[in-house]
Amino acid sequence: LSAETMRAAGLLLARALLLLARALPHPAAAQQCHPASPGGVLRFTDRHAEIRVPALHRVPSSLDPLYGLVRRCLDLIQQNPLPTELLRTALNDPGSVRTAQVVQYELGYVVCAAVALLFTVAVPVAGMCFCYCRSRRRCGGRLRAHRRSLGCRRRCLLACLSFTSLIILIGVTCAFVTSQRVKGQMEPGLRAVPATLRTLRQHLAHVPQGVQMVVDKFEVPRKQIISDLAGLSRSVGLSIHAQLKAMTYEALADLQDRAGDLQTSLHHLQIVERTARALAAARAELEPALRERRRRVVALLDDPRCTSCASVLGRAQSLELGADYGQVPSVEKVLQALTGLPRSDFAEMIRQGNGTFNSIPELAVERMARVIQDLRDDLARTAEKVQSIADGFPLPDYTRPASEALQRAEERSRPYLREAERFERYRWIAGTVLCSIILLILACNVTGMALGAYGLSKREDPSDYECRGEAGAKFLLIGVGLAFLFSWLLILLVFATFLVGGNIQTLVCRNWVNQEIYKFIDTPGNLPPSMNLSRQLNLRRNSNLSSAYRECKSGAGLWEVLQLDRSYELDEHLKTPKYTAEFQKRLGDFTAHLGDVRLLRSEGRQDLETFARSGVDEVDYGRFQEEMKNPVVQTSLPGLARNLEGLQKMQRNSTVAGRLAAEARALWQMQNSTVQAQEALVAKLAESVQFLSRLAPHLKERVKRTLATTAAVEARLPLQAQQILRQELSCFTRKELRYFSQYLSWVGQTLREDVASCQPLATALDNGRVILCDRIAEPWNAFWFSLGCCTFFLIPNIIFAVRLTKHFRPIRNRLISTGSEETCPFHIPRVTALKL
């Protein structure tokens, strides 16, 4: 194979590879500047959740209307605000407390105590009087006469006793439920006190471990950043390649087209030169032969013996040559200008440029290897800086006073809690027994009313004896006796629980809700020095329990409320630039030359410039096209040969016919051998001339554009590659800074809200209020309120039961007799009623 053929094959191969590279999809640049995707959000595990004070809340209950009614009653009984002066005196100098001050504050309770004392005395005395009267048959006996209004009175008494019994039943049911609820809440509530204090101490003790755990979680962003660094260089290379490939491939394709134009033009110019010479030489050879053949044919046709030959004679006489390619412009000068071209291997040049550009991702990996390693080293140093958050955390030395105070409170609370538990056990037993007695009274009422009513329905005569009615009357009297016997115990239990629960509600809970207790504790001088909570908890100067509670409630850290010798600003430790400055600066200062791609070497440029100046566009290709319109021979040899063959068949003279046949064969031979060869050369020449005529007008402009485009791309590639590199590194930096920001934000949130939060202190105070007030005091107060209602409604119950017993016994009708018994007017005397 010749060198030109090898070069042409190389150009075709390079063009195929270039088209394939343009057609294949390439990975797009990483979109790192977009908002953080779900994959860009760090996840941190929570391993310190076991040391927490769970927040308790008031649970809605079906007894809430009863609780609200009791609170309103207590607000009416105790309308005085928190006794600040009295409490200050009681805490600082208990001996100087005057009874009048206590009575004045507890005036509502004193009035209730007087009512309870009156009830305690009056009801048993009334019971003894009733027993005396009953023994003298003056109370609870029988009706002396039957009247029409007795039925109405009896029904009214039955309704009243049923109504009071229903109210007492509702009250005792509520008392049972609330008593059981107090019992159910008291034990876990009392256990929650030391458990909460112990949890608070554990929370303070585990602060250093929690802080270290939070610091150790820097491993999460560090691993993510290292993972991103592993793909950074290739991602940058792919981004540069993806954003510059259109421009580069377009320049390479344009260069490929110009190289192809050069090769093809040179090929066609050579064809034009050779073909024009060949046609000129063939014409020179054909001219004498054609002239001789014309002479012979004309002479033959002009022979008198030739029949009907005159019609073809004119055509034979016009037999002469057509196109003269000796007159077309010569392209020899152009070929001399293109001699030795192309001196450079454009196929190899394009292949190398394409390969260099496609190797940018691998080149980026190589050039950025050192900076990637430096960034990994920076991350290791950043981990040491993050460790300073834990090393400089000051809490372990300043939480000791609070831990000791909590431990003392836990130890001192245990005896009181045991006493409270024991008192609650006695209260529950007494309440259960007395509620059971009330149920027994109700049972006597119900049984008495049922038996009495049944006995009345079976009694034919009001004066007749009926045992069921008498039994009903006795059940009612048993209930009355139980009411007289145990009413004083009921009122004593009601008052004892009322005095305790009422004062807890009005003195503690009401002032706890409106935070008056905190204000009292915060006021200097109210508490004795031994109970100075600010000093015991080591709160910071100019702070008190109220402000510390509010700050802890809002999520402040322990270091923000404790008294520290030196300030600790967590926000200063959590500023992102403190840890990312070196990392960010290294990425900002990095530069790398990734776009140095040589598309066209100097010898290739010279070849294209020589091609443009060669004069290909100056050749008069129109002259060629005009000459090619002329046939090789003016008269068609095949047509003339067919005419001679036709005349041969018409001849009578065999000699003339033979000569006509010989001349026809000679013409066919000249057509098939010489003329057709020249026509083939003309077709070949036409193809080359057509290509050159299309290329010539735009040649200089295309070559100029290709050279300018190639030069511009070679100049722009390094600059744009550097710009894309800066953009990608900037996007990467922002992405990694978000990881730092997420971690530091999580550190601050975790330290404030969990690890070193003082919120558990506020939660413990709120839990104490929920346990004492919402879960214990409310059902406790509802218990004495319900039991008190039952106790006070025993009085009308006694009255109605005693009045009703007379109606269940036979009536003493008045009879006319000589004895001491009264007679019944307007009635026929009968047998005297029996005395029971």
Side-chain angles (χ1 to χ4, degrees), residues 56 103 436 464:
L56 303 179
V103 171
S436 301
D464 289 342

Side-chain angles (χ1 to χ4, degrees), residues 13 29 41 136 203 220 223 230 294 304 317 541 575 596 607 675 715 762 791 819 822 827:
L13 179 60
V41 178
R136 305 292 297 178
H203 173 69
V220 175
K223 287 183 177 179
R294 181 181 61 189
Q317 290 175 345
R541 296 186 184 92
K575 288 183 176 179
D596 296 337
D607 286 350
V675 175
T791 304
E822 298 180 358
H827 192 275

Side-chain angles (χ1 to χ4, degrees), residues 85-102:
E85 296 295 333
L86 181 60
L87 289 176
R88 181 190 298 115
T89 304
L91 291 173
N92 290 277
D93 187 10
S96 63
V97 177
R98 292 177 297 177
T99 306
Q101 291 177 318
V102 179

Side-chain angles (χ1 to χ4, degrees), residues 548-686:
Y549 171 78
R550 288 193 298 271
E551 292 177 7
C552 293
K553 189 78 173 176
S554 62
L558 284 170
W559 65 92
E560 296 174 324
V561 298
L562 294 182
Q563 176 64 49
L564 306 181
D565 293 339
R566 54 186 175 85
S567 61
Y568 180 81
E569 293 291 339
L570 180 63
D571 293 335
E572 291 295 328
H573 290 270
L574 299 181
K575 288 183 176 179
T576 305
K578 180 178 180 180
Y579 306 98
T580 61
E582 188 174 354
F583 186 91
Q584 192 172 358
K585 183 177 183 301
R586 193 177 299 280
L587 281 173
D589 295 343
F590 175 74
T591 57
H593 299 287
L594 300 176
D596 296 337
V597 179
R598 191 68 179 274
L599 303 180
L600 182 62
R601 292 194 290 269
S602 58
E603 57 270 22
R605 184 177 296 275
Q606 292 175 3
D607 286 350
L608 292 179
E609 291 174 350
T610 302
F611 178 45
R613 295 193 305 266
S614 64
V616 175
D617 56 332
E618 298 174 359
V619 177
D620 187 4
Y621 299 103
R623 183 73 184 84
F624 282 93
Q625 293 171 348
E626 290 177 1
E627 199 64 38
M628 285 185 292
K629 292 179 181 177
N630 299 323
V632 177
V633 180
Q634 292 291 350
T635 301
S636 173
L637 294 180
L640 183 58
R642 282 190 290 270
N643 289 337
L644 294 177
E645 290 173 349
L647 290 175
Q648 176 197 355
K649 297 176 182 178
M650 300 171 58
Q651 300 303 315
R652 297 184 182 91
N653 190 326
S654 59
T655 303
V656 173
R659 290 179 63 187
L660 286 173
E663 291 299 327
R665 286 194 298 272
L667 290 174
W668 278 115
Q669 184 178 3
M670 181 179 291
Q671 172 68 29
N672 293 333
S673 61
T674 305
V675 175
Q676 282 187 356
Q678 292 187 36
E679 289 176 348
L681 290 176
V682 171
K684 185 176 182 182
L685 178 63

